[in-house]
Structure formats: C-alpha cells, structure tokens
Amino acid sequence: MQKLITFAVPCYNSAAYMRHCIETLLSAGEQAEIILVDDGSVKDETPAICDEYAAQYPTIVKAIHQENGGHGEGVNQGIRNATGLYYKVVDSDDWLDTAALKTVLAKLQTLVARGTAPDLMICNYVYEHVEDNTTHTVRYTNVFPENRLFSWMHVGHFRPDQNLLMHSVIYRTQVLRDCGMVLPKHTFYVDNIFVYQPLPYVKSMYYMDLDLYRYFIGRSDQSVNESVMVKRVDQQLRVTRHMIDCQDLDALRNEKRLRAYMLHYLSTMMAVSDIFLLLDGSAEAQAKKADLWKYLKENTKPDVYRAIRYGFGGITNLNFPKGDAIVVGGYRIAQKIFKFN
C-alpha cells in the first residue's frame, strides 16, 4: 500500500540534534515514509545515524547518501525517491509536534478515503527561540477557511508576516513533480522556491489551526542568522531571481487571488533581498540592489513590475535622503516584534 506521507529530512553534520527530529516523525508509524538524506556529512556521525535508523525501521526509514549538494539537492533527492501521497520537508534541527501530527494525518486519511484529498495541507508553525526560551506562532486563521476544502477564490489577505513557508505546507507529491521544480544546488533559502513555484498547480487546499512545525531559531551558524544572511546575500539574490523567472505572473490574470498572493510573496523576497543588501552597506551591495530591481523590470511584464515596485516590495527601495536608514529602522522594529531571525 502507498504510504500516506513522505518526510524528507536533509542532514548535514546534524548528529547533535537530528535524533530528536527523527523520533517525532516516527510517531506517525507505518503510514509514513522517512527519507534521511545525508548531504555529504564528514564531520560527525550523521551518516551512521541515518543508517542506524534505516536498519532499525526498514519499512519506514530510507537512508540516502549523496555528495554534498546543499539543502535544495536534499529536497530534490527526497522528491525523486518519495513514495508517499504527500510530501513534507523537515529540517534536521527542527521537529513536529506529535499530537498535532496525529490529528493532521488522521484528517488526511479521511479526506483521501472520501476522494477529496487536497493538493495542499496547511498548518501553523512555531518559532522556537532558544536564546531566550520564547516562542512565536504564525497562524492563518484570518487568511484561510478552517477545517474544510477550499480554493484560491476563498483565500483572504496575507499580512507581511504570514507568508506560507516550507514549515507550514504539506504538498501532494504529484503537485511537486508536475510543476517541474528542481531546486538549485549549493544554495541556501531555496525553501522559498519550494513553496512558491508549485502554487499555480494547487487547486484545492485544507487548513487546520494546529501548531505542527517547531522551527528552531538561535544557533550562531544557522542560515537564517542575520550575520550569516548578510554574508550569503548572493544566494538570497539567486533564489529571488529564480522566483522571478519560474512563473509569469501576468499569465495568472484569471486567477486573481492566486496572482495576488504570488505577487505578495515575490514582493517580500524583493524586500528581504533589499534589507540584507542595506545591512551590508557597501557600494557593491548598493550596485547589487540596483541590479536586482533592473532584473525584475526586464524580466516581468510592466504591470507586475509596477505592482511590486509601488507596493510592499517597494517600501525597502526608498530613493530619497535617509531612505535607507528608515528601511533598516523599520526592519529592526519588525524584528523585535516578530523575532523572525
């Protein structure tokens, strides 16, 4: 029988924390497939831990060892090998709430049995801030109808802090394959592509107001650490350009709410790119910022460019004296409120 869900866990020198992640996934039992992708780990026991779980749970866990290709190639490898009807990525330093997971999988089972399995299941996620032992939950109760099937025409307005992230989505595996998505290798922040590119292939959705995904924040070497993001801003730019290229938003004119959300998401990516270039502050970073906006203008239709330039995306591109300082100040305020990195 086909598994209900595949969990893909990209692992890179993750021995210190990956067991906790895996144990929460094992709570799903035989209805789950867990693919542990060892992404060329050499500094610790990650490969051995992957093999250990595969040997201990041969009907649930698969261990895949690959040359280092980055987080995106770990996700790609999972999609290639997944046998589950649904697919969810769980980073090896994060984990799932086991009670919420049980509830979500029971609902998916019911929907599948009724022949109404959605293309996308959405749940809340929780920032777990290790440095001060606090949490912040991102939920979508103002955006989506709860506990029923719905389409894009039923979707409400997203606040800037409410983007769908990898943590909040469970895609039908076939949707990921049908959209032709291949995440770039050796690139961080590709989880944005993972969520964004398949959206036009999603026709039915289901939202449960459950805090399923626990998103660990606080390691100094973490990819979302601010200083790390500034150093890796070129990878953020690469991802943003990929998102500009992978979908012609003008082609979605007849799907107004889908198009509106994808414009919102792409605007957010432009804003994030701008902010980290501003935090860099160098002349080179300023040139990269100008080049990114030029790329957007040259590779989108005029109305798409205008919607982003003069909408949310443009609030980080203030071309007047002290504009950059205002943007950075606004970012600092938002950071304190939402504690997103």
Side-chain angles (χ1 to χ4, degrees):
M1 295 180 63
Q2 183 181 32
K3 297 280 189 175
L4 177 64
I5 190 167
T6 293
F7 295 111
V9 185
C11 303
Y12 179 67
N13 297 329
S14 305
Y17 40 75
M18 61 189 289
R19 288 184 184 275
H20 180 215
C21 172
I22 296 167
E23 292 295 335
T24 65
L25 304 183
L26 285 169
S27 70
E30 289 290 341
Q31 62 190 327
E33 170 185 60
I34 302 171
I35 300 180
L36 305 177
V37 184
D38 163 35
D39 188 39
S41 302
V42 294
K43 295 181 179 179
D44 64 14
E45 297 302 311
T46 295
I49 293 173
C50 291
D51 291 339
E52 172 193 329
Y53 276 101
Q56 189 173 357
Y57 300 94
T59 61
I60 299 175
V61 179
K62 295 179 182 176
I64 296 177
H65 304 280
Q66 65 180 26
E67 292 184 6
N68 181 258
H71 185 269
E73 184 59 16
V75 175
N76 293 336
Q77 192 72 269
I79 295 172
R80 292 185 200 111
N81 289 276
T83 63
L85 180 62
Y86 287 91
Y87 185 85
K88 184 163 186 62
V89 181
V90 184
D91 284 342
S92 58
D93 56 349
D94 299 333
W95 64 96
L96 300 187
D97 181 274
T98 55
L101 178 59
K102 182 178 180 180
T103 303
V104 171
L105 294 184
K107 176 57 65 175
L108 283 176
Q109 279 187 318
T110 298
L111 293 171
V112 170
R114 292 176 180 170
T116 56
D119 293 328
L120 177 61
M121 171 66 82
I122 303 157
C123 297
N124 308 328
Y125 65 95
V126 181
Y127 288 101
E128 297 279 354
H129 294 278
V130 67
E131 77 285 353
D132 60 3
N133 199 33
T134 61
T135 64
H136 172 69
T137 302
V138 176
R139 52 175 44 91
Y140 306 92
T141 50
N142 61 305
V143 180
F144 301 126
E146 294 179 45
N147 301 314
R148 72 175 179 87
L149 287 166
F150 60 91
S151 66
W152 285 105
M153 66 181 295
H154 303 110
V155 173
H157 177 71
F158 289 80
R159 297 191 308 268
D161 63 313
Q162 281 184 304
N163 266 349
L164 292 172
L165 297 186
M166 183 191 76
H167 322 304
S168 53
V169 301
I170 304 174
Y171 273 113
R172 186 196 284 263
T173 307
Q174 195 58 46
V175 167
L176 299 175
R177 291 172 174 156
D178 288 346
C179 75
M181 177 181 64
V182 179
L183 301 180
K185 292 183 178 182
H186 303 294
T187 305
F188 288 91
Y189 318 120
V190 294
D191 50 315
N192 293 289
I193 301 170
F194 175 80
V195 176
Y196 180 87
Q197 187 167 341
L199 289 176
Y201 293 79
V202 170
K203 306 305 177 186
S204 60
M205 293 171 275
Y206 199 100
Y207 168 60
M208 301 183 76
D209 182 18
L210 292 173
D211 300 345
L212 175 62
Y213 195 105
R214 319 301 288 206
Y215 179 21
F216 180 90
I217 293 286
R219 284 202 334 272
S220 61
D221 64 337
Q222 205 166 6
S223 62
V224 294
N225 178 280
E226 181 182 293
S227 62
V228 175
M229 291 190 76
V230 172
K231 292 177 182 177
R232 293 176 177 166
V233 70
D234 285 344
Q235 300 191 41
Q236 178 73 37
L237 300 178
R238 189 182 310 158
V239 167
T240 303
R241 286 190 173 91
H242 183 110
M243 291 170 65
I244 291 169
D245 294 339
C246 75
Q247 176 63 49
D248 176 9
L249 297 183
D250 202 56
L252 301 176
R253 283 184 171 277
N254 295 329
E255 299 184 66
K256 292 184 178 179
R257 298 201 180 187
L258 167 61
R259 182 177 183 271
Y261 176 63
M262 295 188 74
L263 277 169
H264 168 84
Y265 202 139
L266 189 54
S267 295
T268 301
M269 292 297 291
M270 292 294 294
V272 170
S273 299
D274 278 356
I275 286 167
F276 286 101
L277 288 167
L278 290 175
L279 290 172
D280 179 299
S282 66
E284 182 183 5
Q286 287 287 351
K288 289 177 181 178
K289 181 171 174 285
D291 285 346
L292 180 62
W293 282 98
K294 181 181 178 184
Y295 189 88
L296 177 71
K297 188 172 186 178
E298 292 176 347
N299 290 276
T300 58
K301 299 290 172 53
D303 60 337
V304 172
Y305 174 78
R306 286 194 298 269
I308 296 173
R309 177 65 184 86
Y310 301 107
F312 176 71
I315 65 173
T316 55
N317 190 27
L318 305 179
N319 296 321
F320 55 78
K322 303 294 185 181
D324 291 353
I326 292 171
V327 171
V328 172
Y331 163 74
R332 292 297 183 207
I333 293 171
Q335 186 182 43
K336 288 181 179 179
I337 295 172
F338 301 114
K339 301 175 70 175
F340 39 73
N341 56 22

